[in-house]
Amino acid sequence: MKEKTPVVKQLYRLSVEPRVVEQLARLAMRLREPRSRLASRLFTEAVMGAKLPRR
């Protein structure tokens, strides 16, 4: 049986510009995906794909 990774919700309260919210809504409509799921997925991909600067 495959073990599921725990999901943490509302880790951060982010403040985003209204134009970002509008773009997210348009993208969610086009992809037929709930906005919250799309936002979570995009945020996760951005964080996991970010490269830390070298010291």
Side-chain angles (χ1 to χ4, degrees):
M1 191 173 204
K2 190 176 180 182
E3 188 176 318
K4 288 181 108 178
T5 56
V7 175
V8 178
K9 288 292 178 181
Q10 201 142 5
L11 181 59
Y12 296 103
R13 285 187 178 269
L14 300 173
S15 297
V16 294
E17 296 177 24
R19 65 188 182 96
V20 174
V21 176
E22 291 168 7
Q23 182 73 6
L24 178 66
R26 282 196 299 266
L27 189 57
M29 233 171 45
R30 190 177 312 140
L31 296 174
R32 294 191 171 119
E33 185 174 354
R35 284 180 297 186
S36 57
R37 187 186 321 152
L38 178 60
S40 294
R41 184 167 54 81
L42 292 173
F43 181 77
T44 301
E45 288 174 5
V47 170
M48 299 306 283
K51 302 284 187 236
L52 295 174
R54 295 236 170 201
R55 288 186 176 192

